[in-house]
C-alpha cells in the first residue's frame, strides 16, 4: 500500500503531463497533421516567417546570454554588488510582460520630438533591444545555476596551488560554466520562438513572427491556416527540441549518476 | 542576523540561487572588473528603464504615446481600482493564478518527495517530459488544446486552468529542484522507518524542510500564470477575461496607463509578499533565539 502510494506520487508528474500536455498535442497532430503537413510552402510565407523568427530569436538570445554573462562575472568579482545585481535582475521579471512592452513604446516613442533611443521604435533593432532586456534576467539565473559546478573549495584549492584569480577565472570558472551558457542560449531561444507581443508592439508588424501569424489566422477565423502553420512549425522545431532534450538529459545523468 | 542580511537571504530563497553560489568567494581581477563595470552599467540602465517609465506613467498618464501629462494624478489608479470590469479581471486572474500556482507547487512537491523512495528512472523520465514541454513553443500547445477541447466540448475555465498549469509547472520544477539538495533524505527515511505513513512523513518531515522553496515555486508560478497571454489568447472567448488578455485586446484602441497601473500593483504585491515572508522569518528567528 505504502509502496503503491510512492509509485503513484513519483509517476504523478508524468501522468499529469501525459494527460494534460502530450495527449492534446498528439490528438491534434494525428487529427490534423496528415491533412496539412508540408502544404504551407504553397499557401503561406512559411519559410520566410520561420527565417525571420529564427534569426531574431537567435541573435537576441545570443546577445542576452553574453550580457548576462557579464553580470555573472560581476557577481563573481564583487561580493558587495551581489545584492544590487540580484535586484536589477528581479525587477524586470516581476513587472509583467505586456506592461514592459507598453513601457518600451513610451520610452522609444518620439512623439514629443525627443526620445531616449531615437529610431528604435518599429525597427528590428528595437525588437532585439526589448527582447534582450527580457532575456538577460532569465539567462542570468540559468548561468547562476551553472555556477554551482564551481565550488568555494575548488577556488580555495586553486589559490593554494598558486593560481592567480585571473587564471582561476579563465581556466576554472569559464570552462565549467560553458555548458550553462549553452543551456541559457537554447532555453531562451526556445522561449523566444513563442514571442508575438514584442515583435508586434515594438516591431510594428514589420517582423512577422510565427506565433503572431498563427494567432492572426486563428483570430480571423481561418483555423485551417492557423493549424497548417502550427503543424509545420511543430515539424520544424521538434527535432532540434528532441536533440536538446537528449543533451540536457545526458548532462543530468552525468551529474546525478542515474 | 541583520535585517539587510535577512532581506537578501529571503530574496535569494525565492530565486533559484543556492547558498553555495551566494557564498562563492569573490575573485580579484581588477582590469576585468573595471571593464565589466563600464559594460554592465548601461545594460542595467536599459533593463531598469521600463520599470522607471511605468512608475512615472502610472501617475502622470499620457494623451499621446510617449508624451507625459503636466501634473501628477492618482486618477488612473482610482479608475482601475473602481472599474467593475477591471475588478472582475483582476479577481479572475488572481484566483486563477493562485489556484494554478499552488496546484503546480504541491503536485511537484509530491513528485520530488516520492522520487526519493522510488527505484528506477521515473525521475529522469519526468525530467525529460518537463524539459521537452518547455522546448516546444506553447503557441502549438495552445492551438492543439483549443482544437481538441472544442471537439470534446470542455468548458473554457478548465482549458485555461490546464493550459496555465502545464505552462508554469516546468519553471516551478526547476525552482523546486534547485532546493532538493538541501533536504536530508536520511531524516525522511527515518520517519518512514519509525512507522510514519508517507502522507504524514510528507507533511511533517518533508514540508517543513522544503517550505521556503515550495513558497517560492508558488510565487514564481503565480506571477507566470498572472502574466500568461499565449494560452489566454487562444482559449478565452467568453466574458471572463484575464488581465493580460484584456490588455492585449485593447492594444490598438487606447493609450491610457492601465498596463502601468496593473504592473505597479503586481510589483507592490511582490514586495508585500517578500515583506510578509521576511517578517515570518524574523519572528521565527527571534522565537528560536528565545528558546535557546
Amino acid at each position: 500500500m505504502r509502496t503503491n502510494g510512492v509509485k503513484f506520487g513519483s509517476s504523478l508528474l508524468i501522468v499529469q503531463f501525459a494527460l494534460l500536455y502530450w495527449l492534446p498535442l498528439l490528438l491534434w497532430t494525428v487529427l490534423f497533421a496528415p491533412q496539412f503537413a508540408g502544404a504551407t510552402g504553397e499557401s503561406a510565407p512559411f519559410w520566410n516567417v520561420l527565417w525571420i523568427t529564427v534569426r531574431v530569436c537567435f541573435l537576441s538570445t545570443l546577445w542576452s546570454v553574453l550580457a548576462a554573462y557579464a553580470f555573472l562575472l560581476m557577481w563573481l568579482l564583487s561580493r558587495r554588488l551581489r545584492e544590487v545585481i540580484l535586484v536589477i535582475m528581479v525587477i524586470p521579471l516581476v513587472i509583467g510582460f505586456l506592461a514592459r512592452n507598453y513601457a518600451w513604446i513610451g520610452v522609444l516613442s518620439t512623439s514629443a520630438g525627443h526620445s531616449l533611443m531615437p529610431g528604435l521604435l518599429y525597427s528590428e533593432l528595437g525588437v532585439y533591444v526589448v527582447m534582450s532586456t527580457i532575456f538577460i534576467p532569465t539567462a542570468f539565473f540559468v548561468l547562476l545555476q551553472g555556477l554551482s559546478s564551481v565550488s568555494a573549495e575548488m577556488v580555495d584549492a586553486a589559490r593554494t596551488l598558486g593560481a592567480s584569480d585571473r587564471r582561476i577565472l579563465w581556466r576554472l570558472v569559464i570552462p565549467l560554466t560553458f555548458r550553462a551558457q549553452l543551456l541559457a542560449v537554447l532555453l531562451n531561444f526556445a522561449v523566444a520562438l513563442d514571442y508575438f507581443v514584442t515583435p508586434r508592439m515594438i516591431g510594428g508588424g514589420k517582423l512577422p513572427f510565427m506565433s503572431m501569424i498563427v494567432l492572426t489566422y486563428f483570430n480571423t477565423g481561418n483555423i485551417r491556416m492557423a493549424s497548417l502553420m502550427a503543424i509545420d512549425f511543430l515539424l520544424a522545431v521538434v527535432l532540434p527540441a528532441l536533440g536538446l532534450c537528449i543533451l540536457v538529459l545526458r548532462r543530468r545523468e552525468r551529474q546525478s549518476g542515474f | 542576523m541583520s535585517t539587510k542580511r535577512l532581506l537578501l537571504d529571503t530574496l535569494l530563497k525565492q530565486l533559484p540561487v543556492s547558498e553555495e553560489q551566494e557564498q562563492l568567494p569573490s575573485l580579484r581581477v581588477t582590469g576585468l572588473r573595471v571593464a565589466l563595470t563600464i559594460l554592465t552599467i548601461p545594460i542595467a540602465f536599459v533593463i531598469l528603464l521600463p520599470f522607471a517609465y511605468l512608475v512615472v506613467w502610472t501617475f502622470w498618464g499620457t494623451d499621446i504615446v510617449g508624451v507625459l501629462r503636466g501634473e501628477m494624478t492618482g486618477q488612473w489608479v482610482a479608475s482601475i481600482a473602481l472599474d467593475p470590469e477591471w475588478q472582475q479581471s483582476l479577481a479572475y486572474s488572481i484566483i486563477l493564478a493562485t489556484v494554478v500556482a499552488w496546484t503546480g507547487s504541491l503536485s511537484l512537491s509530491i513528485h520530488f518527495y516520492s522520487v526519493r523512495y522510488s527505484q528506477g528512472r521515473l525521475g529522469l523520465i519526468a525530467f525529460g517530459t518537463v524539459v521537452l514541454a518547455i522546448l516546444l513553443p506553447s503557441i502549438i500547445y495552445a492551438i492543439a488544446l483549443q482544437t481538441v477541447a472544442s471537439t470534446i466540448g470542455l468548458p473554457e475555465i478548465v482549458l485555461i486552468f490546464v493550459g496555465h498549469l502545464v505552462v508554469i509547472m516546468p519553471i516551478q520544477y526547476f525552482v523546486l529542484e534547485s532546493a532538493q539538495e538541501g533536504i536530508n533524505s536520511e531524516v525522511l527515511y527515518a520517519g518512514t522507518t519509525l512507522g510514519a505513513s508517507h502522507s504524514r512523513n510528507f507533511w511533517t518531515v518533508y514540508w517543513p524542510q522544503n517550505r521556503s522553496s515550495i513558497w517560492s515555486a508558488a510565487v514564481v508560478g503565480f506571477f507566470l500564470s498572472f502574466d500568461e497571454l499565449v494560452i489566454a489568447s487562444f482559449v478565452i472567448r467568453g466574458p471572463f477575461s484575464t488581465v493580460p488578455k484584456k490588455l492585449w485586446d485593447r492594444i490598438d484602441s487606447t493609450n491610457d496607463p492601465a498596463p502601468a497601473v496593473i504592473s505597479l500593483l503586481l510589483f507592490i504585491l511582490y514586495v508585500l509578499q517578500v515583506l510578509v515572508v521576511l517578517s515570518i522569518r524574523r519572528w521565527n528567528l527571534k522565537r528560536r533565539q528565545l528558546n535557546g
Side-chain angles (χ1 to χ4, degrees):
Chain A
M1 182 71 182
R2 285 172 64 176
T3 318
N4 284 343
V6 167
K7 270 185 187 164
F8 170 75
S10 47
S11 325
L12 182 66
L13 189 61
I14 302 168
V15 173
Q16 268 179 320
F17 267 80
L19 282 176
L20 306 179
Y21 187 88
W22 295 110
L23 187 66
L25 209 58
L26 196 73
L27 280 173
W28 175 73
T29 314
V30 169
L31 287 173
F32 290 92
Q35 304 169 44
F36 297 141
T40 43
E42 297 158 22
S43 51
F46 177 77
W47 293 109
N48 184 36
V49 173
L50 187 69
W51 162 242
I52 291 170
T53 308
V54 169
R55 187 186 70 217
V56 176
C57 291
F58 182 72
L59 289 177
S60 53
T61 301
L62 196 66
W63 154 244
S64 309
V65 174
L66 288 174
Y69 204 76
F71 280 97
L72 186 85
L73 289 178
M74 278 302 280
W75 169 282
L76 258 177
L77 296 179
S78 170
R79 211 165 173 153
R80 279 188 306 135
L81 282 178
R82 286 180 187 178
E83 295 158 35
V84 180
I85 293 172
L86 208 63
V87 171
I88 292 170
M89 293 297 150
V90 167
I91 286 176
L93 297 177
V94 177
I95 60 173
F97 180 69
L98 263 174
R100 219 165 19 203
N101 281 287
Y102 274 106
W104 270 112
I105 289 183
V107 170
L108 299 178
S109 179
T110 49
S111 302
H114 55 82
S115 166
L116 283 169
M117 298 173 199
L120 281 186
L121 191 62
Y122 307 136
S123 73
E124 190 168 333
L125 187 62
V127 176
Y128 287 128
V129 171
V130 175
M131 281 176 81
S132 302
T133 58
I134 299 160
F135 293 146
I136 289 170
T138 47
F140 174 78
F141 286 113
V142 175
L143 291 170
L144 205 55
Q145 276 295 307
L147 204 61
S148 59
S149 51
V150 183
S151 66
E153 288 80 13
M154 280 181 188
V155 176
D156 288 342
R159 278 178 176 162
T160 310
L161 290 167
S164 67
D165 279 4
R166 186 181 296 271
R167 199 172 160 81
I168 292 171
L169 187 71
W170 290 110
R171 301 296 293 271
L172 184 76
V173 176
I174 292 177
L176 280 175
T177 50
F178 180 71
R179 277 176 181 278
Q181 293 171 45
L182 196 68
L183 203 65
V185 169
L186 294 169
L187 284 178
N188 263 342
F189 179 71
V191 173
L193 284 177
D194 248 349
Y195 268 47
F196 63 91
V197 176
T198 307
R200 159 89 196 274
M201 290 174 79
I202 309 295
K206 287 180 190 166
L207 286 173
F209 262 45
M210 191 59 78
S211 303
M212 199 166 86
I213 299 288
V214 172
L215 183 62
T216 307
Y217 279 129
F218 192 83
N219 282 341
T220 50
N222 197 345
I223 311 287
R224 184 186 179 277
M225 200 61 198
S227 299
L228 197 141
M229 294 284 276
I231 279 177
D232 273 7
F233 191 30
L234 178 66
L235 291 174
V237 297
V238 77
L239 278 180
L242 269 172
L244 177 59
C245 188
I246 290 165
L247 185 86
V248 174
L249 282 173
R250 277 192 180 161
R251 178 173 179 250
R252 188 186 164 90
E253 252 184 327
R254 217 172 290 147
Q255 275 184 345
S256 61
F258 62 87
Chain B
M1 201 185 268
S2 69
T3 306
K4 195 181 160 197
R5 178 73 233 164
L6 203 62
L7 180 64
L8 178 68
D9 200 45
T10 307
L11 268 173
L12 284 171
K13 278 197 179 340
Q14 302 207 331
L15 297 162
V17 183
S18 72
E19 210 169 295
E20 268 181 15
Q21 290 150 356
E22 212 273 319
Q23 294 303 324
L24 212 60
S26 58
L27 302 175
R28 283 178 290 276
V29 189
T30 317
L32 183 67
R33 193 174 157 176
V34 172
L36 285 171
T37 308
I38 294 167
L39 180 72
T40 50
I41 286 175
I43 299 174
F45 172 76
V46 171
I47 289 177
L48 294 177
L49 198 57
F51 177 67
Y53 184 83
L54 285 173
V55 175
V56 175
W57 192 22
T58 302
F59 295 107
W60 270 265
T62 49
D63 289 322
I64 306 165
V65 180
V67 185
L68 296 170
R69 284 180 169 189
E71 73 284 358
M72 185 181 166
T73 168
Q75 73 172 92
W76 302 109
V77 180
S79 70
I80 296 282
L82 301 174
D83 182 354
E85 276 189 28
W86 276 113
Q87 285 172 356
Q88 193 189 54
S89 268
L90 275 166
Y92 184 48
S93 287
I94 288 172
I95 293 168
L96 180 72
T98 308
V99 174
V100 167
W102 278 103
T103 308
S105 201
L106 271 174
S107 51
L108 282 166
S109 303
I110 293 169
H111 166 77
F112 280 117
Y113 169 83
S114 307
V115 157
R116 286 173 186 258
Y117 286 90
S118 64
Q119 299 293 316
R121 295 194 154 206
L122 275 176
L124 202 64
I125 296 168
F127 179 75
T129 314
V130 164
V131 168
L132 200 56
I134 287 187
L135 297 176
L136 291 179
S138 54
I139 195 115
I140 294 172
Y141 172 69
I143 197 166
L145 183 71
Q146 168 63 26
T147 314
V148 171
S150 62
T151 316
I152 304 168
L154 284 175
E156 193 177 290
I157 182 77
V158 176
L159 290 190
I160 194 102
F161 172 79
V162 166
H164 278 206
L165 191 65
V166 296
V167 166
I168 67 151
M169 273 179 78
I171 313 289
Q172 288 186 313
Y173 181 95
F174 289 105
V175 175
L176 278 169
E177 200 204 22
S178 65
Q180 295 307 306
E181 275 177 24
I183 293 164
N184 191 347
S185 287
E186 283 167 16
V187 181
L188 291 182
Y189 298 152
T192 40
T193 310
L194 289 168
S197 65
H198 278 298
S199 62
R200 192 180 162 86
N201 209 31
F202 176 82
W203 290 112
T204 55
V205 184
Y206 182 79
W207 183 274
Q209 284 191 72
N210 204 19
R211 193 182 286 137
S212 65
S213 55
I214 293 171
W215 176 260
S216 58
V219 170
V220 168
F222 176 88
F223 281 97
L224 283 172
S225 171
F226 191 93
D227 213 19
E228 205 287 327
L229 180 63
V230 179
I231 304 287
S233 299
F234 278 89
V235 168
I236 295 174
R237 290 287 176 267
F240 287 101
S241 187
T242 59
V243 171
K245 173 78 166 81
K246 197 172 164 70
L247 288 172
W248 179 247
D249 288 344
R250 297 155 29 105
I251 183 173
D252 293 322
S253 58
T254 175
N255 186 42
D256 69 42
V261 176
I262 303 283
S263 179
L264 207 65
L265 286 175
L266 260 183
F267 184 75
I268 292 168
L269 205 65
Y270 177 74
V271 173
L272 279 178
Q273 73 83 25
V274 169
L275 290 176
V276 168
V277 174
L278 183 72
S279 316
I280 293 169
R281 294 191 67 205
R282 280 178 77 171
W283 182 73
N284 278 339
L285 207 69
K286 266 187 191 163
R287 203 182 55 173
R288 251 181 266 150
Q289 278 168 351
L290 282 174
N291 293 338

